[in-house]
């Protein structure tokens, strides 16, 4: 029996992952987005007179800093302690994989990885390191250092940071009304037991993994897409909110257009944290070329919606239509730069 759409969306809005994203910025006023204000703790590198400095602020998957004729990218991922304790090898692999996806979502290529490990058990710590090393080898990104702490008093914990470069950026700051929203997913995978992690890297050659992740910077450099967002632990719709929130944009999404394996229900599938999954925005004229490029690499890609100026996200499934989120009334992460962006020339916000 198909779940009623309002019930499904209510379940998704109240998952632990969605609540954790809303806890990122509790100090932001509930009216911040309605007023298009920049939250106080995101002003670290942001000067409203210099729009490029906004690329270094929270909102995108990666901070981007201009250097000569390119951008230097920085990102960091912390793994949940329970995940590190219960799935040490996969936690190590996932930490690298998530960082590489973050760099790609910004239109970049990864350069190097560093890590910090805290553990009570040297054997388990070795499994973590093996996962990190195997992922670095698979994606051809060197592990260049880190910090290891072993003591019976510690709680298992893992953080991995990454550096990269980009010639042209895919950024949530480039989202505007009437851009098509695409999803790119590798459906050739399976769930890691008792988790929402959709694994599609096992039994796949290093060459294929590297070719697939290289598609994102290729799209950026060919000016085929404006923005991208790695689908993370907030799932498909939660990641969509993070794609839209920086510009206080709205969207209409067709649930039926989202690719899904047979036998997986919508409630579980929309919560996935895939090893390869991205949301993108692009002009309608470029969508077929983007879809073809992904399909050539074995990745399913489809247009699933369109952005608008409403600041609200609506979802449609067959004849049902429901409001999922309204940024006018409710923050998600709180990272919104709409006011600063309005003051800039529109021709400078999107790739030429």
């Amino acid at each position: 029996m198909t779940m009623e759409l309002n019930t499904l969306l209510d379940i998704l809005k109240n998952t632990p992952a969605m609540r954790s994203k809303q806890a990122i910025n509790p100090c932001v006023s509930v009216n911040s987005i309605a007023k298009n204000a920049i939250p106080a703790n995101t002003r670290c590198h942001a000067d409203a007179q210099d729009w490029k400095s906004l690329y270094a602020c929270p909102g995108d998957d990666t901070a981007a800093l201009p250097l000569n004729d390119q951008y230097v990218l920085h990102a960091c991922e912390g793994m949940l302690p329970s995940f590190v304790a219960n799935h040490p090898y996969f936690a190590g692999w996932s930490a690298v994989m998530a960082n590489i996806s973050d760099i790609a979502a910004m239109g970049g290529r990864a350069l190097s990885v560093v890590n910090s490990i805290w553990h009570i058990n040297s054997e388990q710590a070795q499994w973590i390191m093996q996962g990190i090393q195997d992922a670095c080898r698979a994606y051809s990104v060197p592990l260049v250092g880190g910090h290891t702490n072993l003591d019976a008093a510690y709680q298992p914990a893992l953080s991995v940071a990454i550096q990269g470069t980009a010639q042209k950026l895919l950024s949530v700051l480039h989202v505007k009304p009437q851009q098509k929203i695409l999803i790119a997913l590798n459906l050739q995978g399976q769930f890691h037991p008792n988790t929402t992690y959709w694994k599609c890297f096992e039994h796949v050659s290093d060459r294929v993994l590297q070719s697939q992740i290289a598609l994102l910077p290729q799209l950026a450099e060919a000016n085929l897409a404006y923005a991208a967002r790695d689908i993370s632990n907030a799932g498909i719709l939660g990641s969509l909110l993070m794609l839209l929130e920086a510009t206080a944009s709205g969207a209409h999404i067709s649930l039926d257009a989202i690719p899904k394996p047979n036998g997986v229900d919508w409630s579980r599938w929309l919560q996935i944290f895939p090893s390869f999954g991205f949301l993108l925005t692009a002009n309608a004229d470029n969508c077929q070329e983007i879809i073809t490029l992904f399909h050539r690499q074995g990745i399913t890609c489809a247009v699933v919606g369109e952005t608008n100026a409403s600041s609200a996200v609506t979802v449609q499934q067959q004849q049902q239509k429901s409001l999922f989120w309204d940024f006018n009334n409710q923050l998600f992460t709180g990272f919104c730069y709409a006011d600063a962006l309005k003051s800039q020339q529109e021709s400078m916000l999107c790739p030429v």
Side-chain angles (χ1 to χ4, degrees):
M1 182 177 178
T2 302
M3 185 182 296
E4 199 266 340
L5 181 60
N6 283 330
T7 302
L8 172 63
L9 296 183
D10 283 343
I11 290 172
L12 296 172
K13 282 190 285 190
N14 290 286
T15 63
M18 288 284 286
R19 290 198 299 269
S20 71
K21 293 299 182 184
Q22 294 172 77
I24 288 174
N25 208 343
C27 62
V28 181
S29 164
V30 73
N31 295 317
S32 292
I33 289 189
K35 296 179 179 178
N36 295 325
I38 299 176
N41 69 345
T42 68
R43 294 184 185 274
C44 49
H45 301 290
D47 177 354
Q49 303 305 312
D50 179 9
W51 61 272
K52 286 188 177 182
S53 65
L54 294 175
Y55 288 134
C57 289
D60 273 304
D61 284 300
T62 304
L65 297 165
L67 180 64
N68 300 325
D69 59 347
Q70 63 179 354
Y71 290 89
V72 178
L73 308 179
H74 299 275
C76 181
E77 291 284 347
M79 297 290 104
L80 290 171
S82 60
F83 187 40
V84 177
N86 297 326
H87 308 273
Y89 177 86
F90 188 43
W93 177 287
S94 297
V96 173
M97 177 188 66
N99 271 299
I100 288 172
S101 294
D102 286 347
I103 292 289
M106 202 72 178
R109 294 177 170 84
L111 286 179
S112 60
V113 163
V114 295
N115 65 68
S116 293
I117 298 172
W118 301 74
H119 217 291
I120 61 175
N121 182 292
S122 61
E123 181 179 355
Q124 294 293 300
Q126 288 172 0
W127 276 112
I128 295 170
M129 278 303 305
Q130 190 65 57
I132 291 172
Q133 291 168 343
D134 287 353
C136 285
R137 184 208 68 249
Y139 290 99
S140 191
V141 180
L143 176 64
V144 297
H147 188 74
T148 304
N149 310 271
L150 292 174
D151 191 283
Y154 296 147
Q155 180 183 34
L158 171 65
S159 177
V160 170
I162 194 167
Q163 299 76 44
T165 59
Q167 300 301 315
K168 292 188 177 181
L169 297 179
L170 300 173
S171 172
V172 296
L173 299 176
H174 300 160
V175 174
K176 287 184 177 180
Q178 297 183 316
Q179 293 175 357
K180 295 297 183 181
I181 300 170
L182 301 95
I183 192 168
L185 287 167
N186 189 340
L187 301 184
Q188 305 303 311
Q190 61 183 349
F191 283 105
H192 191 70
N194 303 314
T195 73
T196 58
Y197 300 104
W198 179 256
K199 298 189 296 186
C200 39
F201 60 83
E202 293 179 315
H203 313 299
V204 179
S205 72
D206 298 352
R207 177 188 60 80
V208 170
L209 290 175
Q210 292 168 33
S211 296
Q212 290 173 341
I213 206 69
L215 287 169
L216 278 299
Q218 290 169 20
L219 294 177
E221 291 159 11
N223 297 319
L224 290 174
Y226 292 124
R229 183 86 203 185
D230 169 36
I231 298 173
S232 63
N233 66 330
I236 293 173
L237 294 182
S239 299
L240 174 68
L241 295 184
M242 292 187 283
L243 180 76
L244 300 170
E245 188 172 27
T247 56
S249 296
H252 180 69
I253 298 296
S254 171
L255 203 64
D256 299 309
I258 297 175
K260 180 177 72 68
N262 294 329
V264 180
D265 63 58
W266 280 113
S267 177
R268 192 177 191 196
W269 187 244
L270 291 173
Q271 295 184 58
I272 56 165
F273 189 161
S275 62
F276 189 100
F278 296 89
L279 293 165
L280 305 100
T281 70
N283 283 339
D285 292 346
N286 292 331
C287 287
Q288 188 54 55
E289 185 172 356
I290 293 171
I291 290 169
T292 300
L293 287 171
F294 277 111
H295 282 190
R296 286 174 181 168
Q297 294 289 346
I299 305 297
T300 301
C301 183
V303 175
V304 298
E306 183 172 304
T307 60
N308 56 53
S310 71
S311 296
V313 178
T314 56
V315 177
Q316 185 161 350
Q317 185 178 36
Q318 298 178 6
Q319 302 307 311
Q320 300 180 76
K321 181 179 177 181
S322 184
L323 175 68
F324 178 66
W325 207 272
D326 188 347
F327 290 125
N328 292 299
N329 300 321
Q330 188 175 13
L331 300 169
F332 190 52
T333 64
F335 301 132
C336 180
Y337 309 97
D339 192 51
L341 293 171
K342 282 181 180 178
S343 67
Q344 310 303 326
Q345 294 180 359
E346 290 194 356
S347 62
M348 298 176 67
L349 296 181
C350 292
V352 177

